[in-house]
Amino acid sequence: MSKILVFGNSGSGKSTFSKYIARNFGLAHLDLDVLAWLPTSPPQRMSIEESKGKINDFTAEHESWVVEGCYTDLLELLKHEASEIVFMDLTIEQCIANAKNRPWEPHKYESKEAQDANLNMLINWIKDYKVRSDSFSYESHRRFYESFQGEKVAYTENQVHT
Protein backbone atom coordinates (compact mmCIF):
# COMPACT_ATOMS: atom_id res chain seq x y z
CA MET A 1 0.00 0.00 0.00
CA SER A 2 1.69 3.19 -1.20
CA LYS A 3 0.84 6.59 0.20
CA ILE A 4 3.22 9.13 -1.30
CA LEU A 5 3.54 12.88 -0.76
CA VAL A 6 5.32 14.88 -3.48
CA PHE A 7 6.22 18.50 -2.81
CA GLY A 8 8.47 21.33 -3.95
CA ASN A 9 8.50 24.72 -5.65
CA SER A 10 6.13 25.59 -8.47
CA GLY A 11 7.61 24.25 -11.69
CA SER A 12 9.68 21.59 -9.91
CA GLY A 13 7.91 18.71 -11.68
CA LYS A 14 5.53 17.65 -8.90
CA SER A 15 2.55 17.10 -11.19
CA THR A 16 4.50 15.36 -13.93
CA PHE A 17 6.20 13.03 -11.45
CA SER A 18 2.98 12.35 -9.51
CA LYS A 19 0.98 11.55 -12.65
CA TYR A 20 3.74 9.17 -13.74
CA ILE A 21 3.75 7.42 -10.35
CA ALA A 22 -0.06 7.21 -10.30
CA ARG A 23 -0.27 5.82 -13.83
CA ASN A 24 2.54 3.28 -13.46
CA PHE A 25 1.71 2.03 -9.97
CA GLY A 26 -2.08 2.26 -10.04
CA LEU A 27 -2.34 4.97 -7.40
CA ALA A 28 -5.08 7.54 -7.02
CA HIS A 29 -3.75 11.06 -7.64
CA LEU A 30 -4.64 14.28 -5.87
CA ASP A 31 -3.25 17.68 -6.83
CA LEU A 32 -3.71 19.89 -3.75
CA ASP A 33 -4.16 22.93 -6.02
CA VAL A 34 -7.70 21.74 -6.75
CA LEU A 35 -8.78 21.93 -3.11
CA ALA A 36 -6.56 24.61 -1.60
CA TRP A 37 -8.28 27.57 -3.25
CA LEU A 38 -11.76 29.01 -3.34
CA PRO A 39 -13.18 29.79 -6.80
CA THR A 40 -12.85 33.54 -6.29
CA SER A 41 -11.10 36.38 -8.08
CA PRO A 42 -8.63 37.23 -6.80
CA PRO A 43 -7.91 33.72 -5.53
CA GLN A 44 -8.27 33.07 -1.79
CA ARG A 45 -7.17 30.03 0.19
CA MET A 46 -9.86 27.66 1.32
CA SER A 47 -9.88 27.22 5.10
CA ILE A 48 -7.58 24.50 6.39
CA GLU A 49 -10.60 22.77 7.94
CA GLU A 50 -12.48 22.68 4.64
CA SER A 51 -9.38 21.47 2.78
CA LYS A 52 -8.85 18.84 5.49
CA GLY A 53 -12.37 17.53 4.94
CA LYS A 54 -11.75 17.15 1.20
CA ILE A 55 -8.39 15.47 1.82
CA ASN A 56 -10.04 13.07 4.28
CA ASP A 57 -12.72 12.25 1.71
CA PHE A 58 -10.01 11.45 -0.85
CA THR A 59 -7.95 9.24 1.48
CA ALA A 60 -11.06 7.41 2.75
CA GLU A 61 -11.99 6.59 -0.84
CA HIS A 62 -8.51 5.41 -1.93
CA GLU A 63 -6.29 2.83 -0.26
CA SER A 64 -3.15 3.83 -2.20
CA TRP A 65 -2.43 7.33 -3.41
CA VAL A 66 -0.02 10.04 -4.42
CA VAL A 67 -0.77 13.57 -3.21
CA GLU A 68 1.19 16.51 -4.55
CA GLY A 69 1.46 20.19 -3.82
CA CYS A 70 3.49 23.00 -2.35
CA TYR A 71 1.26 23.44 0.72
CA THR A 72 3.20 22.28 3.77
CA ASP A 73 0.22 23.09 5.98
CA LEU A 74 -1.88 20.57 4.02
CA LEU A 75 0.92 18.02 3.66
CA GLU A 76 1.25 18.02 7.45
CA LEU A 77 -2.32 16.66 7.60
CA LEU A 78 -1.13 13.53 5.75
CA LYS A 79 2.35 13.19 7.22
CA HIS A 80 1.47 10.33 9.57
CA GLU A 81 -0.41 8.39 6.89
CA ALA A 82 2.31 8.70 4.24
CA SER A 83 4.54 5.72 3.50
CA GLU A 84 7.08 7.95 1.76
CA ILE A 85 7.75 11.50 0.66
CA VAL A 86 9.46 12.98 -2.40
CA PHE A 87 10.99 16.47 -2.29
CA MET A 88 11.39 17.94 -5.78
CA ASP A 89 14.34 20.16 -4.80
CA LEU A 90 15.27 21.67 -8.17
CA THR A 91 17.04 25.00 -8.65
CA ILE A 92 15.04 28.16 -9.25
CA GLU A 93 16.38 28.24 -12.83
CA GLN A 94 15.19 24.68 -13.50
CA CYS A 95 11.74 25.48 -12.10
CA ILE A 96 11.43 28.59 -14.28
CA ALA A 97 12.42 26.62 -17.39
CA ASN A 98 9.87 23.93 -16.51
CA ALA A 99 7.16 26.55 -15.97
CA LYS A 100 7.86 28.07 -19.38
CA ASN A 101 7.57 24.64 -21.01
CA ARG A 102 4.55 23.50 -18.98
CA PRO A 103 1.72 21.94 -20.98
CA TRP A 104 -1.80 23.25 -20.51
CA GLU A 105 -3.31 22.24 -17.16
CA PRO A 106 -7.05 22.12 -17.88
CA HIS A 107 -7.92 21.36 -14.23
CA LYS A 108 -6.45 24.78 -13.31
CA TYR A 109 -7.05 27.02 -16.36
CA GLU A 110 -9.89 27.32 -18.86
CA SER A 111 -7.38 27.62 -21.76
CA LYS A 112 -3.68 27.50 -22.57
CA GLU A 113 -3.88 31.25 -23.21
CA ALA A 114 -5.24 31.86 -19.68
CA GLN A 115 -2.43 29.75 -18.27
CA ASP A 116 0.20 31.62 -20.30
CA ALA A 117 -1.25 34.97 -19.16
CA ASN A 118 -0.35 33.89 -15.61
CA LEU A 119 3.25 32.95 -16.49
CA ASN A 120 4.98 36.19 -15.37
CA MET A 121 3.26 36.02 -11.98
CA LEU A 122 4.25 32.35 -11.69
CA ILE A 123 7.90 33.08 -12.54
CA ASN A 124 8.03 35.79 -9.86
CA TRP A 125 6.45 33.35 -7.39
CA ILE A 126 9.09 30.73 -8.27
CA LYS A 127 11.89 33.27 -7.83
CA ASP A 128 10.70 34.10 -4.28
CA TYR A 129 10.77 30.45 -3.12
CA LYS A 130 13.97 30.72 -1.07
CA VAL A 131 13.12 34.10 0.52
CA ARG A 132 9.49 33.45 1.48
CA SER A 133 8.68 32.29 5.01
CA ASP A 134 5.20 30.85 4.40
CA SER A 135 4.00 27.25 4.05
CA PHE A 136 4.98 27.36 0.34
CA SER A 137 8.62 28.25 1.04
CA TYR A 138 11.84 26.33 0.63
CA GLU A 139 12.46 26.55 4.37
CA SER A 140 9.05 25.05 5.13
CA HIS A 141 9.63 22.24 2.62
CA ARG A 142 13.12 21.57 3.98
CA ARG A 143 11.81 21.33 7.57
CA PHE A 144 9.01 19.00 6.45
CA TYR A 145 11.50 16.76 4.65
CA GLU A 146 13.94 16.67 7.56
CA SER A 147 11.24 15.90 10.13
CA PHE A 148 9.72 12.99 8.20
CA GLN A 149 10.69 9.69 9.83
CA GLY A 150 9.78 7.32 6.97
CA GLU A 151 11.19 6.63 3.51
CA LYS A 152 12.13 9.79 1.68
CA VAL A 153 14.04 11.02 -1.35
CA ALA A 154 14.99 14.45 -2.66
CA TYR A 155 15.50 14.99 -6.39
CA THR A 156 17.67 17.87 -7.54
CA GLU A 157 17.21 17.28 -11.29
CA ASN A 158 14.20 16.82 -13.54
CA GLN A 159 13.08 13.20 -13.55
CA VAL A 160 12.72 11.42 -16.89
CA HIS A 161 9.32 9.75 -17.38
CA THR A 162 8.34 7.51 -20.22
Side-chain angles (χ1 to χ4, degrees):
M1 196 167 32
S2 295
K3 296 179 178 183
I4 305 168
L5 300 176
V6 179
F7 59 98
N9 196 5
S10 295
S12 64
K14 297 179 304 292
S15 294
T16 302
F17 183 75
S18 297
K19 288 174 188 173
Y20 171 81
I21 294 292
R23 184 174 57 250
N24 285 284
F25 296 99
L27 306 178
H29 173 241
L30 175 62
D31 179 346
L32 291 175
D33 282 341
V34 302
L35 58 80
W37 299 95
L38 294 169
T40 59
S41 185
Q44 294 178 313
R45 278 290 300 272
M46 185 178 293
S47 74
I48 297 294
E49 282 305 309
E50 191 172 351
S51 293
K52 181 179 181 178
K54 292 176 182 285
I55 289 168
N56 289 344
D57 291 345
F58 174 82
T59 59
E61 187 176 326
H62 304 286
E63 188 172 310
S64 295
W65 42 257
V66 57
V67 174
E68 51 115 339
C70 60
Y71 313 88
T72 309
D73 51 359
L74 298 180
L75 295 167
E76 286 285 349
L77 301 173
L78 291 165
K79 184 177 188 174
H80 299 292
E81 287 187 57
S83 57
E84 61 188 283
I85 64 170
V86 178
F87 183 10
M88 306 301 286
D89 190 11
L90 280 66
T91 66
I92 300 295
E93 294 75 23
Q94 289 170 308
C95 292
I96 290 171
N98 289 346
K100 288 179 178 179
N101 292 316
R102 175 177 281 174
W104 175 41
E105 297 177 301
H107 65 288
K108 296 180 189 176
Y109 299 96
E110 69 267 5
S111 67
K112 176 75 166 113
E113 293 75 26
Q115 180 174 303
D116 290 345
N118 198 41
L119 185 58
N120 284 336
M121 185 280 303
L122 181 61
I123 289 171
N124 288 329
W125 174 259
I126 291 168
K127 286 179 180 178
D128 288 344
Y129 181 56
K130 297 235 174 157
V131 297
R132 286 194 308 267
S133 60
D134 55 22
S135 68
F136 314 107
S137 70
Y138 175 79
E139 184 57 37
S140 182
H141 291 160
R142 173 60 54 197
R143 280 193 311 269
F144 183 78
Y145 181 80
E146 290 173 356
S147 71
F148 188 75
Q149 298 300 310
E151 187 176 331
K152 58 187 169 184
V153 64
Y155 292 118
T156 58
E157 297 289 334
N158 284 318
Q159 299 302 293
V160 178
H161 313 290
T162 56

